[in-house]
Amino acid sequence: MSDTIFRRRTALLAAGLAATASLALTACGTEQAAQDRSNPAAADSGASATVTPGTSGASGTSGASGTDTGAAASGTDKAVTVSKSGRSSTAAKGSTGSKGSSGTVTCTGANTEVTAQTVTRPLNHLLLAVKNTGSKTCYLYGYPALNFQDAQAVPPVDEDSQPQAVTTLRPGQSGYAGVRLSAADGSGSGGYTAKTLKVIFQNRALDFVGSGVKVALPAKGVWIDSSLTTTYWLADPQDALN
């Protein structure tokens, strides 16, 4: 009889302990769920991901990188590089990029026509005219190098005639240079009659380039001496002769 009572008491004690453990586990689960609801970030900490800006897919958005690269300049005022979702594109900005540079060229013998005309005033002067015969606007840089028959050197330029800006010729327009052939008072030396002339152009670096353009002179030629000088290329023929 006593053994039977002992076994019953032991069974009841084990059942009580199991019930107590189950209640404790239930209470812990309820407390953890409450903490998760109050702190969602902590609940999701096991699913964090690393985002690399500039790559494709979900990690390539500008928002994920923490910075806005949508207005990052390329370093000049000619283009703006836009980067979004891992892709880059360049948009032209301004009118001085490659489009502007391709729209203008240097005036040379290939895109101009050069003529020479003697004038009555001032005395002993020649007027050079350069007409743009091309389809693009061209720049008349510097001044002409004059290669007269038997000349030993290029005559100097009159520095007082330098314009404030490069003479620019649109298609069909002309530029001018005045040439003093000889001293009006006869003070020049080494004079002789020249019957041929070549005009050589300057480039943007103000270097004389090419072999020159042959320019027709009066049949009797022109008298030149040590006073031979030229002006810069100018837009107005009166300025060239003054």
Side-chain angles (χ1 to χ4, degrees):
M1 184 69 179
S2 60
D3 291 339
T4 301
I5 294 173
F6 177 78
R7 285 194 297 271
R8 287 180 179 177
R9 288 180 177 177
T10 301
L12 289 174
L13 179 61
L17 290 174
T20 301
S22 176
L23 289 174
L25 289 174
T26 300
C28 289
T30 302
E31 181 179 359
Q32 180 65 39
Q35 290 178 355
D36 291 347
R37 286 192 297 271
S38 63
N39 187 6
D44 196 32
S45 61
S48 61
T50 301
V51 178
T52 304
T55 59
S56 58
S59 62
T61 61
S62 60
S65 67
T67 59
D68 183 9
T69 59
S74 65
T76 67
D77 60 351
K78 296 180 181 179
V80 173
T81 300
V82 180
S83 177
K84 288 185 178 182
S85 301
R87 298 180 181 179
S88 297
S89 61
T90 302
K93 181 182 179 183
S95 58
T96 59
S98 59
K99 181 178 179 181
S101 61
S102 64
T104 55
V105 295
T106 300
C107 297
T108 66
N111 54 22
T112 61
E113 179 182 73
V114 186
T115 58
Q117 177 185 354
T118 56
V119 296
T120 57
R121 288 286 186 273
L123 293 175
N124 304 337
H125 274 64
L126 190 72
L127 179 65
L128 293 178
V130 176
K131 182 179 180 180
N132 182 354
T133 57
S135 60
K136 296 182 179 180
T137 297
C138 71
Y139 292 129
L140 267 176
Y141 291 109
Y143 58 93
L146 306 179
N147 185 5
F148 281 98
Q149 175 187 345
D150 298 330
Q152 299 300 312
V154 172
V157 64
D158 178 6
E159 294 294 345
D160 291 337
S161 66
Q162 185 173 9
Q164 293 183 349
V166 175
T167 298
T168 305
L169 305 181
R170 293 192 296 271
Q173 286 188 325
S174 296
Y176 306 90
V179 181
R180 185 175 68 175
L181 299 171
S182 59
D185 59 3
S187 61
S189 61
Y192 68 95
T193 298
K195 293 187 177 182
T196 62
L197 170 64
K198 282 186 177 182
V199 172
I200 303 174
F201 292 90
Q202 286 184 303
N203 60 17
R204 186 174 183 177
L206 300 183
D207 296 323
F208 292 107
V209 293
S211 58
V213 178
K214 291 183 179 180
V215 181
L217 293 175
K220 64 179 181 179
V222 292
W223 181 263
I224 62 175
D225 64 19
S226 60
S227 300
L228 181 65
T229 57
T230 182
T231 67
Y232 282 88
W233 291 116
L234 302 166
D236 191 314
Q238 293 302 317
D239 291 340
L241 292 175
N242 289 335

